[in-house]
Amino acid sequence: MRATGHNTVSISFHWGYHSPNENTIDFSSESGKDIQYMFDAAKKAGLYVIARAGPYIHADTTAGGLPGWLLHKNNLEARSGENTYTQAWIQYYAELVPIIARNQLDRGGPVIAFQIENEYKDSDIYPFSIRYMKDLADTARQNGIVMPIFHNDASLIGAFLGSKFSGILDLYGVDSYPRGFNCSHPMENFHIKTDYRSSFNRIAKYTPKFSPAFQGGAADSWGGYGYESCADMFGSEFANVFYRNNVAQKFTMMSHYMTVGGTSWGHLASPDVYTSYDNGAAISETRILRDKANEVKLLWKFLHVSPSLLNANYIADSNQYAYTNNADVFVTELRDPDTLVGYYIVRSTDTNSLDGKAYRLRIRTLEEGEIMVPYKGWLTLQHRESKIVVTDYRAGPLSFGYSTLEIYTWSIVNEKPILVMYGSFEDLNEMSIRNKGMVPHSFFKVRGDEAYENTKYRAFVTPDSNDLRLTFLLNGEEKAVIQSHDYILLMINRPDIYKVWAPSIGSEHDPDTPPESQIIIVGPYLVRNVSETDFGSALDIYGDIDLEENGGDVVEVFADDKYRIIKWNGVPMKTVRSKYTSRIFRVPTPESTEAKIEIQQLADVRWRALDSVPESSRDYDDSLWTTADKGESSNKFYKPKTSPVLYPGEYGYHTGPVIYRGHFIGSAARGARLSIFGGSGFAYTAWINGRYIGSFEGRPNVESIDEILHFPPGALSEVDDNVLVVIADNMGYEVDKGANGHDAHSMLKPRGIQLAALISSDKDEKLEFSRWTIQGNAGGETFDDRLRAPYNEGGTYAQRIGAHFETFDDSSWPIQSPLITMELGSFYSHEKGAGIKFYRAHVSIKVPKTMDVPLGIRIQARPGVRAEIFINGWQYGRYISDIGPQDEFPVPPGILNMSGDNVIAIQVWAVNDRATAGLESLEWVMYGKYLSGYGQVSHNNYGRQFGVDRLGYYSPLRAVY
């Protein structure tokens, strides 16, 4: 993030993750949940932190961050002043907020702001909402918060501002998602909002113009279009036009949601999203820089070296003044009243237009007054593009009258300024350099590592001001340099600017390093940071080379001559001096033996398999299971329709599949009616005395189902116990939807069986279940796996016995591949039929320590199949063949052991009797190969710690395979 120009990271703290049960709030290092490590990492990277403490955070997570146990408290009114909720969050704040407070800026930490709640509003929907927000702010301050407290308004309505809400907020912010969340048509609806400035002036005129969550992508849902479509919709053109529009609209603080794509591992997600939470973000879930990351880098680096823009006032725009000779081009003028620097933000009048536009721009400078530039020729907007043209701009000691090339950044090298500029070399570009008319200069065209004199340009010296005006056309070139004895202009063609980096010496621990400390580096895929070594005589550059990119190993450095040695990732480089003072070197690519990547193919390793639904048998002993014996539910909004209560959350089971066993005597029943809530995309499978009787494979946006299941003839015993077995998935608790005018109690939508009734052939006869048992994850709200608790596991048999853990002994399991086309010596064949199988294999990965190789797993299966992927104990993927869209599951290093053994486990659920509990394909996906300066991420062989006796969950049946 720091390398791409960002200076702040926003972190949401998930209450439920730290509070698996009512008596536990865990921020301990022993459990791996110590958040101090995050603050330390941010500070080391030179990033500020915005702390989003909730208690409700949304973030498309289960219950929006609230713990599962809290949702099942009697009379709960979440996100309100109701007493049960209040007492719970006060205890949570008492543990969380002092940690944040110790890391505030005034105490030497990185925290600069503190957010309470999320997109909340004063409404009759929420009882005591004002008191609730006031209590949150007061409690935060009582626990040591002195940084500004803010809230993210869902729209520009001024929520919790003004005299009515005195004492709550120090800072106003508004979230904005101008392109919405439907990624099905990425090229449509490219319309900016132009009322931010007026709305801010009306609502919060005297505070910074702040967007805590401005659109950086979109969350995709089950059955959606996939994140590559979202990446197209929110790509570099979006960042270029929409973020520069925010500059024109006078935003002064902006945080993107999201900048870095993530993973909703385990059962952390709400039903609205699937495992991937990539969002089409600038930095992908696979950790790869999309073009958008480099596009935002251009703007953020420019803002960093242009502090006068922060103070610039809105002057006018094309609605009031004719800034161009083309009505299809729109301009907004900003100007700093102190320095008189002018900023002209240029865009298409209709931002949805795909047409290129030629124009000349009318500007005002201190020396020349009002002029049209270029004097001859045209500038162009290419398709969807925006530019910032400056006037009277200073880069250290160098001053510009104007420039039609955009400014990226500047620094000081050998006591003279170097300015990095970019734009279309197909345009006739023009600039005016103050007081440099009589200063000799050289103009080079640069091709590769060679520089050639450029004679095709026009230089004019203004007689009164001694300014140097340059007009030039560089069509066909990638790079050009203008050099004199006291300045360097490095000009880059627009398509090539992404490979220019400007890390700062001393950037660790400091987000506000001055422009003069920047080192200009051209060429590599990524420059992470730079440092001085060897007592200041060496410059050490840490970065990554894309081994699959032609020419990406050539690096050019503009740095002081005091650095006699240039190092790349700690290794001294042999450099060549260019004609314009830079130094150029080629990063040695490793020999084939040194870069050898050895990854066992998933189809070739030895797999073992376990039947993971022994509970479907009538003879299964469930006497140690939880007895469902509650006659009344805590949920007053979605009450059960039959007794006993069969909501697993009432019994401490909040994640993943849950198994129900309903017992009854006699053969009078002809079927059963079931009403099940599971969330969007959920599924269930049912058996009667071991015989499959029905299922629901899941559909997008179908969160519950009411069905009648028919018992086949001869399936029931007249005298023995009959058992109806249901396994139903839990897709996570809903987020709260009250703030946007929908259901204020959506989080309380139940998971599990709302109605279970036997159906008699005699309509007057009422049949009853004699008892129900429920089994979810091992231990319920008590965990032996504290790091991954409470969201890693569900209630299937293999997970209850800990078969996903690395240390589990599967040596007694039969050999069987999950691939339905391969058996690898197994004497067990894949047969159709509803059921669950759990597959395990040891897989070796050996990646050189100098390389970064992002990996993922791709799986595909026939209809009716759901799968969960476990990597070294971590659930890192939920797959639904009938719904999709995700079939690739990136796994980061650290979760993966990149230099040794990995335990890969896959749970495959054949939901109906036409499906097979196996996969059609299973393979690694390699997203790139990079020679990296980061170093290898260590894999912590994290084992279970304490709490649950897994032996108690082993099946009492003789045969479980």
Side-chain angles (χ1 to χ4, degrees):
M1 286 182 65
R2 181 63 195 267
T4 53
H6 297 82
N7 64 1
T8 305
V9 59
S10 179
I11 301 175
S12 296
F13 298 94
H14 195 283
W15 181 2
Y17 177 62
H18 293 279
S19 184
N21 58 61
E22 185 175 1
N23 299 313
T24 301
I25 301 174
D26 189 356
F27 289 98
S28 67
S29 57
E30 294 81 8
S31 68
K33 296 184 176 181
D34 185 354
I35 61 176
Q36 185 59 47
Y37 294 109
M38 286 193 295
F39 293 120
D40 293 344
K43 183 175 180 180
K44 183 177 180 181
L47 292 170
Y48 293 125
V49 171
I50 295 173
R52 299 173 180 259
Y56 179 84
I57 61 170
H58 195 295
D60 291 302
T61 58
T62 178
L66 302 189
W69 59 263
L70 179 62
L71 301 183
H72 296 88
K73 288 293 185 182
N74 287 322
N75 302 315
L76 178 76
E77 286 281 0
R79 306 182 76 190
S80 78
E82 183 267 324
N83 185 63
T84 300
Y85 178 69
T86 300
Q87 293 306 310
W89 71 254
I90 285 177
Q91 292 180 41
Y92 173 58
Y93 259 36
E95 299 294 330
L96 168 65
V97 177
I99 302 173
I100 297 173
R102 290 197 298 270
N103 286 278
Q104 292 176 106
L105 192 64
D106 68 314
R107 303 190 194 182
V111 176
I112 59 170
F114 184 93
Q115 178 178 317
I116 56 173
E117 255 291 337
N118 183 84
E119 294 186 350
Y120 189 65
K121 64 181 179 182
D122 175 31
S123 168
D124 294 337
I125 293 174
Y126 299 109
F128 316 111
S129 58
I130 300 175
R131 190 184 78 187
Y132 168 49
M133 290 292 281
K134 184 70 163 60
D135 287 346
L136 285 173
D138 289 347
T139 304
R141 293 181 178 112
Q142 290 162 10
N143 280 281
I145 296 299
V146 297
M147 292 295 111
I149 292 176
F150 73 92
H151 170 258
N152 54 333
D153 201 352
S155 58
L156 282 160
I157 61 173
F160 303 104
L161 277 179
S163 58
K164 181 180 178 182
F165 310 106
S166 177
I168 298 179
L169 303 181
D170 302 310
L171 180 64
Y172 176 73
V174 62
D175 291 353
S176 184
Y177 296 87
R179 292 202 72 191
F181 303 96
N182 186 344
C183 298
S184 60
H185 298 92
M187 298 305 292
E188 296 180 1
N189 183 31
F190 203 82
H191 299 289
I192 60 171
K193 289 173 62 69
T194 58
D195 63 346
Y196 294 118
R197 183 174 57 248
S198 59
S199 297
F200 271 125
N201 287 338
R202 173 175 49 85
I203 295 169
K205 185 173 183 178
Y206 301 106
T207 68
K209 310 306 183 283
F210 179 30
S211 180
F214 193 87
Q215 190 153 36
D220 196 34
S221 59
W222 290 105
Y225 293 89
Y227 280 120
E228 285 310 308
S229 183
C230 293
D232 291 340
M233 183 171 177
F234 299 98
S236 57
E237 288 183 340
F238 170 82
N240 173 270
V241 174
F242 280 71
Y243 298 165
R244 280 167 172 75
N245 176 62
N246 288 354
V247 172
Q249 294 290 314
K250 282 300 297 165
F251 280 57
T252 53
M253 296 172 62
M254 180 167 53
S255 176
H256 294 155
Y257 195 92
M258 310 265 292
T259 295
V260 182
T263 304
S264 296
W265 59 270
H267 301 280
L268 187 65
S270 78
D272 297 323
V273 295
Y274 42 91
T275 299
S276 175
Y277 202 58
D278 180 87
N279 273 244
I283 303 172
S284 74
E285 181 185 14
T286 59
R287 298 176 292 110
I288 291 174
L289 299 177
R290 292 190 169 110
D291 282 348
K292 179 168 65 176
N294 288 303
E295 184 63 41
V296 298
K297 177 182 68 176
L298 301 181
L299 182 58
W300 295 164
K301 284 292 186 179
F302 171 65
L303 296 180
H304 178 66
V305 299
S306 307
S308 62
L309 183 55
L310 187 68
N311 191 47
N313 294 328
Y314 167 75
I315 302 300
D317 59 38
S318 292
N319 288 322
Q320 295 92 35
Y321 186 73
Y323 284 97
T324 77
N325 60 342
N326 187 340
D328 292 332
V329 176
F330 191 95
V331 180
T332 300
E333 180 185 357
L334 307 178
R335 192 169 293 275
D336 175 27
D338 297 328
T339 64
L340 299 180
V341 176
Y343 299 91
Y344 295 81
I345 299 93
V346 185
R347 60 170 171 84
S348 294
T349 303
D350 175 11
T351 54
N352 199 51
S353 169
L354 291 170
D355 298 328
K357 299 166 184 69
Y359 67 97
R360 295 177 70 210
L361 178 64
R362 180 175 283 107
I363 59 175
R364 289 183 300 131
T365 73
L366 294 177
E367 293 290 340
E368 299 179 79
E370 185 176 291
I371 57 175
M372 290 287 283
V373 295
Y375 276 84
K376 293 183 179 180
W378 301 87
L379 301 174
T380 58
L381 287 177
Q382 301 292 333
H383 307 296
R384 290 169 171 173
E385 183 182 18
S386 180
K387 299 179 180 181
I388 300 179
V389 174
V390 298
T391 62
D392 302 303
Y393 185 87
R394 292 187 64 87
L398 187 65
S399 296
F400 282 82
Y402 63 91
S403 171
T404 60
L405 290 175
E406 291 190 82
I407 293 172
Y408 170 39
T409 191
W410 62 269
S411 186
I412 302 294
V413 175
N414 294 327
E415 299 184 347
K416 64 181 179 181
I418 174 172
L419 191 70
V420 185
M421 316 171 82
Y422 64 97
S424 172
F425 280 9
E426 296 178 0
D427 288 355
L428 185 64
N429 282 292
E430 195 170 277
M431 67 178 67
S432 170
I433 310 174
R434 292 277 187 242
N435 303 312
K436 299 298 181 183
M438 306 304 295
V439 177
H441 67 272
S442 301
F443 198 143
F444 299 104
K445 296 181 294 185
V446 182
R447 298 170 185 170
D449 56 2
E450 295 292 332
Y452 305 90
E453 286 283 348
N454 178 32
T455 59
K456 295 181 180 180
Y457 74 100
R458 180 175 180 267
F460 173 75
V461 179
T462 58
D464 296 331
S465 58
N466 190 33
D467 295 345
L468 176 64
R469 183 187 300 155
L470 299 168
T471 304
F472 48 90
L473 183 66
L474 293 166
N475 195 9
E477 306 297 334
E478 295 180 0
K479 183 166 52 177
V481 174
I482 297 174
Q483 178 179 247
S484 79
H485 74 277
D486 62 355
Y487 68 86
I488 298 174
L489 304 182
L490 175 61
M491 298 173 289
I492 309 291
N493 194 19
R494 189 63 164 83
D496 303 296
I497 187 60
Y498 289 169
K499 294 299 176 66
V500 183
W501 304 88
S504 295
I505 295 289
S507 64
E508 288 192 356
H509 307 286
D510 186 3
D512 291 321
T513 51
E516 294 86 345
S517 68
Q518 294 185 127
I519 305 295
I520 307 302
I521 302 171
V522 183
Y525 164 77
L526 171 64
V527 175
R528 297 177 181 273
N529 52 47
V530 291
S531 63
E532 292 182 348
T533 58
D534 299 348
F535 304 100
S537 65
L539 176 69
D540 208 340
I541 305 169
Y542 289 89
D544 293 18
I545 299 296
D546 186 347
L547 293 176
E548 298 178 331
E549 178 188 10
N550 185 33
D553 56 347
V554 177
V555 179
E556 182 175 20
V557 181
F558 293 83
D560 286 347
D561 288 341
K562 72 174 184 177
Y563 301 120
R564 295 183 292 103
I565 301 171
I566 303 290
K567 298 180 182 180
W568 179 264
N569 295 335
V571 179
M573 295 288 106
K574 184 178 180 180
T575 63
V576 176
R577 181 79 68 170
S578 73
K579 293 180 179 179
Y580 45 90
T581 75
S582 69
R583 282 175 275 182
I584 301 171
F585 61 88
R586 185 180 294 272
V587 178
T589 54
E591 299 293 334
S592 58
T593 54
E594 297 174 342
K596 189 175 182 180
I597 300 169
E598 299 180 28
I599 302 174
Q600 281 187 296
Q601 294 305 305
L602 297 174
D604 299 338
V605 299
R606 185 175 67 179
W607 292 85
R608 294 183 181 273
L610 173 73
D611 179 355
S612 193
V613 63
E615 306 92 343
S616 64
S617 169
R618 179 174 63 180
D619 298 328
Y620 183 90
D621 181 3
D622 61 11
S623 60
L624 296 180
W625 283 23
T626 299
T627 299
D629 55 6
K630 291 189 175 184
E632 186 175 348
S633 172
S634 64
N635 193 328
K636 62 183 180 180
F637 299 101
Y638 297 91
K639 295 180 179 180
K641 296 180 179 179
T642 53
S643 185
V645 176
L646 296 176
Y647 295 161
E650 303 265 9
Y651 302 96
Y653 303 119
H654 305 291
T655 57
V658 173
I659 306 172
Y660 309 80
R661 287 172 57 89
H663 299 254
F664 62 96
I665 302 294
S667 59
R670 63 178 178 85
R673 179 185 171 193
L674 293 177
S675 179
I676 305 175
F677 274 82
S680 177
F682 91 101
Y684 81 87
T685 304
W687 297 263
I688 184 69
N689 293 336
R691 295 173 65 175
Y692 168 81
I693 57 171
S695 61
F696 175 65
E697 293 75 25
R699 291 196 297 271
N701 302 315
V702 176
E703 62 184 24
S704 65
I705 195 164
D706 191 314
E707 291 188 333
I708 293 177
L709 302 176
H710 297 282
F711 298 155
L716 301 183
S717 170
E718 293 187 12
V719 294
D720 294 327
D721 191 32
N722 296 294
V723 184
L724 173 65
V725 178
V726 180
I727 178 169
D729 211 349
N730 174 357
M731 306 302 286
Y733 293 116
E734 305 287 344
V735 296
D736 179 56
K737 298 178 180 178
N740 57 14
H742 299 296
D743 186 358
H745 301 102
S746 55
M747 282 188 295
L748 298 181
K749 286 184 177 179
R751 294 294 172 257
I753 298 176
Q754 186 182 43
L755 179 151
L758 292 171
I759 300 173
S760 172
S761 55
D762 183 352
K763 64 179 182 179
D764 296 324
E765 182 181 14
K766 186 175 182 181
L767 303 177
E768 299 283 353
F769 288 96
S770 57
R771 68 184 179 94
W772 279 91
T773 57
I774 296 180
Q775 182 61 63
N777 63 286
E781 293 175 355
T782 302
F783 296 89
D784 57 351
D785 183 4
R786 289 176 59 192
L787 173 62
R788 292 171 281 223
Y791 296 114
N792 197 54
E793 301 177 23
T796 57
Y797 177 71
Q799 294 181 44
R800 298 201 309 274
I801 64 175
H804 55 296
F805 291 128
E806 294 168 271
T807 55
F808 183 86
D809 182 6
D810 62 8
S811 59
S812 64
W813 293 11
I815 296 172
Q816 186 180 33
S817 169
L819 292 167
I820 59 178
T821 56
M822 299 179 64
E823 293 306 322
L824 294 180
S826 170
F827 49 88
Y828 287 91
S829 63
H830 288 282
E831 297 179 354
K832 288 185 178 181
I836 298 175
K837 281 197 173 182
F838 197 88
Y839 302 90
R840 279 174 51 97
H842 288 262
V843 181
S844 174
I845 299 176
K846 294 181 181 178
V847 174
K849 293 182 179 180
T850 56
M851 295 186 67
D852 180 14
V853 180
L855 292 174
I857 290 177
R858 180 191 293 123
I859 66 175
Q860 290 184 330
R862 294 174 182 173
V865 171
R866 305 166 82 88
E868 292 183 25
I869 302 171
F870 288 86
I871 311 293
N872 296 320
W874 294 83
Q875 197 261 64
Y876 247 75
R878 299 177 79 181
Y879 167 81
I880 305 176
S881 66
D882 302 271
I883 298 177
Q886 187 175 9
D887 61 6
E888 289 185 14
F889 300 87
V891 186
I895 301 298
L896 272 176
N897 182 2
M898 303 301 287
S899 59
D901 183 61
N902 294 270
V903 174
I904 312 297
I906 303 176
Q907 175 180 284
V908 183
W909 175 4
V911 178
N912 58 49
D913 61 349
R914 303 177 303 280
T916 301
L919 305 174
E920 285 201 313
S921 65
L922 174 62
E923 60 186 347
W924 290 109
V925 181
M926 188 182 297
Y927 297 102
K929 291 189 292 185
Y930 303 92
L931 192 62
S932 178
Y934 186 80
Q936 199 163 82
V937 177
S938 62
H939 168 68
N940 184 355
N941 186 9
Y942 183 86
R944 292 182 288 126
Q945 293 185 336
F946 18 65
V948 177
D949 178 11
R950 297 278 175 152
L951 292 176
Y953 290 98
Y954 276 81
S955 170
L957 293 175
R958 286 179 58 83
V960 297
Y961 303 121

